[in-house]
Amino acid sequence: MIIVTGGAGFIGSNIVKQLNNKGRNDILIVDDLTDGRKIRNIEMLDFADYIDYEEFDIAVEQNTFDCGPIEVVFHEGACADTMNYDGRYMMKNNYEGSKNLFHYCQERRVPFIYASSASTYGHGTNGFREDPVCEQALNPYAYSKLLFDRYVAKFRNHLQLQSQCVGLRYFNVFGPNETHKDKMASLVRQMYYKLMETGEITLFKGIDGYGDGEQTRDFIYVNDVVNVNFYFWEHPEISGVFNCGTGHAHTFNEFMKAVISFAGKGEIRYIDFPEVLKGKYQSYTQADTTKLLAAGYDKGFTPLEKAVHEYCALLRDNEGYVK
């Protein structure tokens, strides 16, 4: 059995889809479908069973969960809202739940590949490499991810891991099946329909020394994120925390011009930077992929414009869902 927590969410459902493409359907999806829109992400997928995350978490914590032999756990389940400042909820959901599942997998020698985040680098003042000197949490979400990375590192550094444990620090992921994320969805999802309706895309004016729309991010297509997950699944001898980004930064202007080029129309209008985001916003991210490439990853990354155009076609033809 393959377990995918957050399997009805954005990245998780894409993992399940690619598992199906590999001929695998012995999959247990773990998620919270309080937001029923996520059902659309999985209704056409083939999997063995579904279990609610709270029920699963309790069973794992109490050591009573049993679904037979487990080949690998892809742990994508988390509250990913960077604007949620309920630290108690964030730590219970993202940190405590992840610890329980980590120990469950270690005791059974099950490979455990989990979602970390590039938000653990904060403003990126000291760079974006997998090194404590670069780490900084600007919000409870980032802290929950960073603390779990550090928790796992204690076991790894003292050679106490019983089986593979890989954390992937996702940079700015975009692609199909993110409709339910609302304001946390990528700008492609948010701005494609705005462009179709109004003929324009809005971006923030310059801040932190950047020109209008010139803030930069390491945008990575979700298909490439799945490829990185599968690479480590195929190499159970490798453990550690690795950046999951392309290693190239693009401006928001470039990102949105790819949407405009697909649509064949439109312009960009710049709006004032929100006060609520000042001091909490990453104006620049770029993954240092040295460690990832040294681990042998060689599948490359989809060029930005090609990925944006592919996703826009799904937004046009299938409401942004994978086919």
Side-chain angles (χ1 to χ4, degrees):
M1 184 73 75
I2 295 171
I3 295 178
V4 183
T5 73
F10 171 34
I11 296 173
S13 63
N14 277 278
I15 287 175
V16 176
K17 172 63 176 176
Q18 295 303 327
L19 286 170
N20 286 174
N21 290 347
K22 288 177 172 288
R24 300 296 296 267
N25 61 4
D26 53 332
I27 305 163
L28 174 65
I29 288 179
V30 181
D31 214 307
D32 176 354
L33 289 178
T34 299
D35 184 346
R37 293 177 298 172
K38 291 196 290 185
I39 291 172
R40 181 73 184 275
N41 290 343
I42 60 173
E43 64 178 347
M44 301 304 292
L45 301 181
D46 187 11
F47 52 95
D49 205 356
Y50 168 89
I51 184 173
D52 182 80
Y53 181 75
E54 185 172 338
E55 179 183 343
F56 174 77
D57 191 43
I58 291 172
V60 167
E61 182 179 9
Q62 296 177 350
N63 208 24
T64 60
F65 178 77
D66 185 9
C67 67
I70 303 170
E71 183 175 338
V72 62
V73 171
F74 294 104
H75 181 41
E76 307 299 314
C79 175
D81 186 351
T82 58
M83 297 304 292
N84 186 329
Y85 275 75
D86 185 341
R88 184 171 183 269
Y89 167 78
M90 197 69 74
M91 293 302 291
K92 178 174 177 55
N93 190 73
N94 291 5
Y95 178 63
E96 294 295 340
S98 296
K99 281 201 307 180
N100 293 337
L101 188 53
F102 164 70
H103 286 294
Y104 183 92
C105 289
Q106 285 292 297
E107 290 168 7
R108 291 158 181 79
R109 289 173 169 73
V110 174
F112 180 67
I113 301 172
Y114 72 91
S116 183
S117 171
S119 66
T120 55
Y121 296 121
H123 291 300
T125 305
N126 295 317
F128 296 90
R129 66 185 184 279
E130 305 90 333
D131 187 319
V133 73
C134 300
E135 296 169 351
Q136 178 189 24
L138 300 180
N139 52 56
Y141 167 75
Y143 183 68
S144 71
K145 290 295 188 179
L146 178 56
L147 194 62
F148 183 63
D149 283 349
R150 290 174 174 173
Y151 182 82
V152 171
K154 294 175 184 177
F155 292 84
R156 188 174 62 252
N157 293 340
H158 291 89
L159 303 178
Q160 294 176 337
L161 289 181
Q162 302 301 310
S163 62
Q164 180 188 43
C165 181
V166 171
L168 297 176
R169 287 183 170 170
Y170 297 152
F171 278 68
N172 290 84
V173 188
F174 68 97
N177 289 14
E178 59 172 343
T179 299
H180 64 282
K181 292 172 67 68
D182 293 328
K183 67 181 184 297
M184 300 307 298
S186 73
L187 273 188
V188 178
R189 173 68 180 78
Q190 294 185 51
M191 291 298 163
Y192 174 80
Y193 292 115
K194 182 180 177 67
L195 177 63
M196 293 299 101
E197 181 180 350
T198 68
E200 69 174 20
I201 285 172
T202 54
L203 291 177
F204 293 147
K205 291 181 179 178
I207 193 173
D208 297 333
Y210 292 85
D212 294 347
E214 289 295 299
Q215 298 93 336
T216 64
R217 295 286 176 86
D218 190 329
F219 300 106
I220 179 170
Y221 197 35
V222 69
N223 290 355
D224 297 326
V225 169
V226 175
N227 285 340
V228 174
N229 274 271
F230 284 5
Y231 175 80
F232 285 103
W233 174 31
E234 294 161 0
H235 292 83
E237 73 280 5
I238 303 175
S239 291
V241 171
F242 299 86
N243 284 336
C244 188
T246 68
H248 299 282
H250 293 274
T251 68
F252 282 99
N253 284 326
E254 292 174 302
F255 197 35
M256 291 299 96
K257 284 177 181 177
V259 177
I260 290 172
S261 71
F262 175 85
K265 65 176 184 179
E267 60 183 21
I268 298 174
R269 179 170 62 87
Y270 300 100
I271 60 176
D272 290 338
F273 192 90
E275 287 291 330
V276 69
L277 290 181
K278 289 183 178 178
K280 306 169 186 175
Y281 184 81
Q282 290 177 305
S283 292
Y284 166 78
T285 67
Q286 180 173 304
D288 183 331
T289 57
T290 302
K291 188 176 178 182
L292 177 66
L293 298 179
Y297 183 75
D298 59 359
K299 296 183 179 181
F301 301 97
T302 310
L304 183 68
E305 185 172 67
K306 179 181 178 181
V308 170
H309 284 195
E310 183 176 308
Y311 182 26
C312 284
L314 286 171
L315 289 167
R316 180 193 62 198
D317 300 335
N318 204 43
E319 301 179 77
Y321 295 96
V322 292
K323 293 183 177 180

